[in-house]
Amino acid sequence: MLDTGLKILVVASEVAPFAKTGGLADVAGSLPKALAVQGNDVRVVLPRYRRIGDYATVTDFPVEVGQRKETCIVRRSRIEAKSSRGTKEVPVYFVDNYHYFDRDRLYGYEDDAERFAFFNLSILPLCEELGFRPDVVHLNDWQSGFIPLLIRIRGRHSALWNETASVFTIHNLRYQGRFPKVTLGLLGLGEEYFTPGGVEFYGDVSFMKAGLLFADVINTVSETYAREIQTPEFGEGLDGVLRKRGSDLYGIVNGINYHEYDPSSDPRLFKTYDSRNLGAKVDNKLALQRELGLSLSHEPLVGMVSRLVDQKGLDVLLEAMPEILSRPLQFVLLGSGDERYEEAFRSLARSHPGKVSVTTGFNGILAQRIYAGSDMFLMPSRFEPCGLGQLIAMRYGSIPVARRTGGIADTVSEYDVSTGTGTGFLFDRYEAEDLVAALDRALDKYRDRSTWNHIVKQAMETDFSWNKSAAMYTEVYMEALSRRGRVERPA
Ligand code: ADP
């Protein structure tokens, strides 16, 4: 019987504020808080990379990775979930091993298969060592993809694990954790799993495919992306698997943490503001211009904070750039990623001093100052599972000019002059001229102060908090538990 909250273990390879390269960290850091506030016993696990502090050791145990005997050291910290009802603690456990994780970067090493095989193999014994018996284990992206299968295998001999439900969330289908066949041996799995209907993927082993096949329920981070990935265009070679599991595949849009992302209290801003006090937003714009060496101007400031990779639509943006820069506006970019994109944008900044500012690298403070100081936020993404950039931008009153795909389609609506509704300016075709046309519509509205302020207020007051989405996750957890015979669900 499940009459109280659920015991939930959230497993992810990055969790804010401990380690972050993208949106997954935001989600893995904020969804657990929302679930805790709603009355669940939630705990979070991630690897301990070098950049994470030396938190207290809780326990250690041996883990066999193929022939190798390694030690999993478990460390512990916590995140605090604040709500109107007080503060709740969410324990955070770190899987530590000097050989695998005492490194500068999170991913991108030759032995990533072995590193994350170790991570996957550590999770069940970690629960047993801690005496934490989860109702639901919630896995995220390829780095935790084999855990549903490991739970099923353990469940053959353990009633407890047999009753444990697994939910696997796709945050980005492009990154699949595809490695040579020997990876199976590292995971202690036999040849019988290496079939096209199993975890084989074109001669390799796929962590992502393992998660998609063996989790009780799967979901992704917006309804539109859940539909898109069942097509060859967005399916990254796994659309067939996803269509087969179509009736177990849900779309739940991400929220953002309203305490962390709050323009009325954000300590990273030059000046705090809210939707009734937009004058102070202008002060942020002027301060940002000063900080970045732009001309002090009331021209619209177009911002962008993004990983600089193909997904983000940078080829189309670069093609559109000459046209965009012929308009009376300023352009501010913060991003890091592919060298060719970093250099292309740096060169634009050099040739347009005072008008274009480009900062490469990862900088959480500057990111918030751009959300607060910009009037418009560019997201010309080729595909976008959910996208947090547009949500944070709207919360800070920066109006998205974005491509209608994935989560952007589910969270931004085109401003409609006749009804006065809408929170952004969208385009459909992945073409430079369509991006410019959307930006021109935004620039046109910007000229009319009262219309623009109305759009800004509307965007800032739309609810993108976790409340609704966390409740939907609880529904999905219950659905997964029903597959384990733990709860009865109406047909
Ligand atoms: P993705 O997960 O594909 O990178 P999202 O829009 O879902 O894209 O999430 C991106 C998150 O990372 C946002 O919180 C954004 O502000 C942040 N971010 C991206 N690039 C940088 C950067 N260079 N510096 C600071 N924050 C960044």
Side-chain angles (χ1 to χ4, degrees):
M1 240 339 254
L2 294 158
D3 46 2
T4 55
L6 298 172
K7 290 200 183 72
I8 304 160
L9 185 73
V10 177
V11 184
S13 58
E14 46 185 277
V15 178
F18 302 103
K20 166 166 168 173
T21 69
L24 168 60
D26 284 315
V27 176
S30 53
L31 171 62
K33 296 192 211 182
L35 291 166
V37 166
Q38 294 184 351
N40 301 291
D41 177 357
V42 192
R43 312 195 184 191
V44 182
V45 190
L46 75 158
R48 188 188 86 102
Y49 308 103
R50 181 176 289 167
R51 66 181 70 176
I52 297 174
D54 250 336
Y55 293 103
T57 304
V58 185
T59 181
D60 62 68
F61 50 84
V63 176
E64 280 177 30
V65 190
Q67 303 300 317
R68 243 186 128 100
K69 291 212 186 338
E70 287 288 341
T71 302
C72 174
I73 304 165
V74 181
R75 298 175 187 276
R76 182 189 156 122
S77 178
R78 65 196 146 79
I79 42 185
E80 283 181 351
K82 295 198 181 80
S83 76
S84 49
R85 277 171 283 169
T87 301
K88 277 194 128 188
E89 255 188 28
V90 177
V92 177
Y93 299 106
F94 301 98
V95 162
D96 193 6
N97 172 285
Y98 298 114
H99 173 64
Y100 292 129
F101 294 123
D102 190 27
R103 306 184 192 186
D104 287 329
R105 282 175 288 126
L106 280 63
Y107 326 113
Y109 294 100
E110 264 189 2
D111 59 347
D112 275 358
E114 187 174 335
R115 297 170 71 225
F116 287 96
F118 169 78
F119 181 60
N120 282 239
L121 290 164
S122 297
I123 302 301
L124 273 63
L126 178 145
C127 292
E128 289 164 357
E129 286 282 324
L130 297 174
F132 181 65
R133 185 260 146 118
D135 298 307
V136 179
V137 182
H138 180 172
L139 298 321
N140 294 279
D141 273 355
W142 75 262
Q143 293 89 348
S144 47
F146 269 99
I147 297 169
L149 175 57
L150 296 174
I151 293 175
R152 290 289 72 85
I153 292 173
R154 187 72 69 91
R156 289 179 198 151
H157 308 287
S158 149
L160 284 186
W161 285 110
N162 191 40
E163 288 192 342
T164 306
S166 57
V167 172
F168 181 78
T169 302
I170 306 161
H171 295 265
N172 194 332
L173 193 60
R174 174 147 299 177
Y175 306 101
Q176 298 190 351
R178 180 176 168 178
F179 300 107
K181 188 181 170 189
V182 292
T183 307
L184 267 191
L186 298 175
L187 286 154
L189 297 172
E191 288 277 328
E192 67 272 25
Y193 295 101
F194 196 71
T195 64
V199 303
E200 184 199 339
F201 189 68
Y202 298 101
D204 287 327
V205 165
S206 165
F207 276 63
M208 176 66 84
K209 192 177 175 197
L212 300 182
L213 286 175
F214 294 103
D216 291 310
V217 172
I218 52 187
N219 82 292
T220 185
V221 288
S222 67
E223 282 181 26
T224 297
Y225 193 60
R227 282 193 302 275
E228 287 171 342
I229 55 178
Q230 297 182 57
T231 68
E233 190 190 346
F234 292 91
E236 308 280 353
L238 287 168
D239 45 296
V241 178
L242 288 158
R243 280 194 301 275
K244 258 195 211 133
R245 293 221 62 187
S247 60
D248 307 321
L249 170 61
Y250 295 82
I252 305 178
V253 76
N254 290 330
I256 51 175
N257 183 316
Y258 262 38
H259 290 282
E260 186 191 346
Y261 294 123
D262 182 356
S264 73
S265 63
D266 192 332
R268 296 165 290 202
L269 306 191
F270 298 105
K271 201 163 181 182
T272 55
Y273 60 97
D274 61 32
S275 62
R276 288 156 308 176
N277 172 22
L278 291 174
K281 181 168 166 68
V282 179
D283 295 336
N284 280 285
K285 175 172 172 176
L286 296 171
L288 181 68
Q289 289 169 334
R290 241 180 244 117
E291 176 172 331
L292 297 176
L294 294 170
S295 335
L296 298 184
S297 149
H298 285 288
E299 284 178 350
L301 196 153
V302 180
M304 187 164 181
V305 178
S306 180
R307 289 185 298 123
L308 299 181
V309 296
D310 288 336
Q311 174 195 337
K312 301 298 178 179
L314 302 164
D315 50 350
V316 154
L317 177 58
L318 283 167
E319 193 189 325
M321 227 44 204
E323 197 64 31
I324 291 176
L325 293 178
S326 73
R327 308 291 192 268
L329 51 74
Q330 295 182 326
F331 177 72
V332 170
L333 167 73
L334 166 65
S336 68
D338 294 355
E339 177 54 35
R340 64 191 166 111
Y341 288 132
E342 292 190 358
E343 186 39 43
F345 283 106
R346 274 197 296 257
S347 138
L348 279 175
R350 283 194 296 271
S351 54
H352 296 80
K355 184 178 175 83
V356 174
S357 157
V358 171
T359 309
T360 50
F362 198 90
N363 184 334
I365 296 175
L366 180 58
Q368 287 323 109
R369 292 180 174 182
I370 293 174
Y371 288 115
S374 59
D375 299 295
M376 297 161 200
F377 192 80
L378 266 191
M379 260 176 108
S381 306
R382 204 181 261 279
F383 70 95
E384 197 58 76
C386 176
L388 297 176
Q390 83 280 16
L391 302 183
I392 305 170
M394 285 187 279
R395 174 102 166 119
Y396 284 71
S398 181
I399 297 306
V401 174
R403 179 143 180 270
R404 197 191 320 261
T405 182
I408 294 173
D410 295 355
T411 55
V412 184
S413 53
E414 172 81 16
Y415 178 69
D416 180 340
V417 191
S418 61
T419 59
T421 56
T423 53
F425 297 87
L426 300 168
F427 64 100
D428 291 288
R429 285 191 323 150
Y430 190 69
E431 300 288 345
E433 58 179 307
D434 293 43
L435 163 57
V436 174
L439 180 63
D440 279 340
R441 292 198 303 280
L443 295 173
D444 179 53
K445 293 293 164 297
Y446 184 83
R447 281 183 209 110
D448 174 4
R449 266 291 108 198
S450 80
T451 302
W452 189 258
N453 282 346
H454 167 73
I455 301 172
V456 169
K457 267 172 86 81
Q458 210 147 254
M460 290 181 77
E461 289 167 6
T462 308
D463 183 4
F464 297 111
S465 71
W466 267 106
N467 294 341
K468 239 192 321 189
S469 297
M472 288 171 80
Y473 268 101
T474 312
E475 276 299 302
V476 162
Y477 297 152
M478 296 305 276
E479 182 59 36
L481 281 164
S482 77
R483 312 287 168 97
R484 296 278 113 213
R486 295 278 300 285
V487 287
E488 299 227 352
R489 306 276 288 173

